[in-house]
Amino acid sequence: MSFSSDVKTELCQADFDRPCCTQAEAYGVLLFCNSFSPFGIRITTQSQVFGDRLPRLFQAAFGFGFDQQPEPGEGGKLTFQITDRDHIQQILDLYGYSREGLMTHHINYGVLEDQCCYVAFCRGAFLAGGSVTDPQKGYHLEIATSHLYVHREFQALMPELHLYPRETTRKANYITYFKQSEAISTFLTTVGAPECAQRVRTARQQKNLVNGVNRQYNCDVANVEKSVQAAQTQIQAIHILEARGTLEQLPEKLQETAALRCAHPELSLIQLADLCQPPVSKSCLNHRLRKLLELAEQ
């Protein structure tokens, strides 16, 4: 299963213990589903667990189920429909939609009594119109609706839960989305998927660890390359002094340093300093090598 399916599986474990939250979740489903109008309701999903939850959700929220729904065990896309006018009217009345004229889709905040209802509404919205990328591949969670006012009001509702999403459009849909791992894990925890939220955080930690190791490795490689280049430059300077006959006229400490550098081009300054008799500090050895370079340049 995909990570998005795992999230919906965890969300569908929520109980129907509060009527207000049950109706709020069903409201989120309706406003983010395929079709919700006075002429009919149609919800299509590929999530088997969401398909199993829908009849129980609508029965708990409205006291009735769907007029048409998939057969048990049916795979692929699952379609649920309500066509009975009395049932549709009962839902419209519950959520404060007019019986007459065209239906304008919007979020009736009066239905969402408490913050727990906001959470349930967001859970229903995600179940009907949401998806989330596997955190091992990237960070992206989105919830789509075809209703402009619903989208705007959903954006205004999110800060009530301390969530601050971005927004965009794609074809005829309005998208509310998160791109940061922290925001995605917060959203998932808020709506009732803490285990999947932990998977997002774990994936982020693993990526940070790998990135840190890679940075350290690249830094070490760069330092080694820098040390090798410096050693080659120092050896070239020593060869110049040898060719001119100048090296043997230098103080014994400089001659010792030159001999050690030529014998051990792979060693760092600290390692080379320990081979001196007696051992010297890194800065002392570095001073001697700089002196050799200056003499070679002269």
Side-chain angles (χ1 to χ4, degrees), residues 118-137:
Y118 288 166
V119 170
F121 178 85
C122 290
R123 179 169 60 247
F126 182 84
L127 286 170
S131 64
V132 58
T133 302
D134 187 335
Q136 297 292 342
K137 300 177 180 178

Side-chain angles (χ1 to χ4, degrees), residues 123-189:
R123 179 169 60 247
F126 182 84
L127 286 170
S131 64
V132 58
T133 302
D134 187 335
Q136 297 292 342
K137 300 177 180 178
Y139 303 120
H140 183 85
L141 183 150
E142 68 175 44
I143 303 173
T145 178
S146 59
H147 310 304
L148 174 59
Y149 293 117
V150 171
H151 167 72
R152 288 178 176 174
E153 291 156 0
F154 191 50
Q155 288 278 323
L157 179 151
M158 284 289 190
E160 296 291 332
L161 300 174
H162 306 289
L163 297 166
Y164 304 92
R166 301 178 185 179
E167 59 181 315
T168 188
T169 57
R170 186 185 304 129
K171 297 181 179 179
N173 288 322
Y174 302 93
I175 312 296
T176 296
Y177 71 97
F178 300 95
K179 292 293 286 186
Q180 301 83 15
S181 61
E182 181 94 20
I184 292 173
S185 62
T186 300
F187 176 85
L188 294 179
T189 300

